[in-house]
Structure formats: structure tokens, C-alpha cells
Amino acid sequence: MDHSSIFSGLDLWVVYYASGMAFVTSGLTTWRARNAQRLKGLPLSSWLTAIPDTLAGMLIGTALGVFVPPHVASLDNLSGVTVLCGGGGILGPKLWDLISNRGLSAALSLLPGPLAPLAKALAAQNKDGDSDGSSQTPPKPPL
């Protein structure tokens, strides 16, 4: 019986590269979104709120860069891994926005059974669209 590890064929340098590339791409995407928010005159949230977006991008980009290329021969090179990591880094914040707050309650409301009360509780908590309950309106941009 062979007792080799399931990670014996995993190249750690590919993992490091994939996570770094996805982190940079996700961070730049988040930075760009914050700049667009600033230019519209909207109040900026703290950088701590960008951590889940960036981590989601890093995890998705790393997973795509490590697990897809062995199964798709045309992506099993440096440029293929880079494209997968960058795409995952961009996709991560968008998926996080989809599942956070209203997206999560909407997704849970589609599921029957024991998750329905949880969805109703989340929807009641966020009914005003403001997750922290402050209900502040953004300042008007200068004319």
C-alpha cells in the first residue's frame, strides 16, 4: 500500500506565484473600485472592508492557477497560470459582493427547509440596505 501524500505532486513555487499574482490583481481591482467610489463623491469605507474581497480573490485565483492547468494542457504554462490567477483575482471580489449582505439572504431564500428562517432574519436585518444600521446618506458631490 502506497502512503504518499496527496500533495506530493504539488509544486509550492506554483502555489506561491499563483497566490501572489491573484493577490496583486485582486488588490488592484479593489483599489480601482475605491477610486471610482471616491470620484463619485461617495464616502469611502475603511481598508479593513477590502480584506475579504482581496482574500476571496487570492483564494479563487490560487485555486484556478493550481488546479486547472494540470487538466487543460494549453493552460499548463506560465502565461496560462497567470491568466487564470488574474481572472480569479478579479472574480473573487465580485463573488464576495454577490454573497455578502443581500446576495446571501437572496440565495438562502431560494433554499427550502431549515435555511428559510435564517434568510428571513438576514433580510429583516438588512431591509434598509445598510449593513451597519447607521442609515447615512452619502454627501452630494460638489458642483
Side-chain angles (χ1 to χ4, degrees), residues 37-43 136-143:
Q37 187 179 8
R38 182 182 50 82
L39 290 174
K40 289 179 182 177
L42 298 173
Q136 295 178 353
T137 57
K140 302 226 183 237
L143 297 173

Side-chain angles (χ1 to χ4, degrees), residues 34 37 42-50:
R34 286 177 57 88
Q37 187 179 8
L42 298 173
L44 293 177
S45 55
S46 72
W47 273 103
L48 292 176
T49 60

Side-chain angles (χ1 to χ4, degrees), residues 101-102 125-137:
N101 294 336
R102 289 191 179 266
Q125 180 184 7
N126 295 324
K127 69 180 175 185
D128 62 352
D130 190 14
S131 60
D132 66 355
S134 63
S135 298
Q136 295 178 353
T137 57

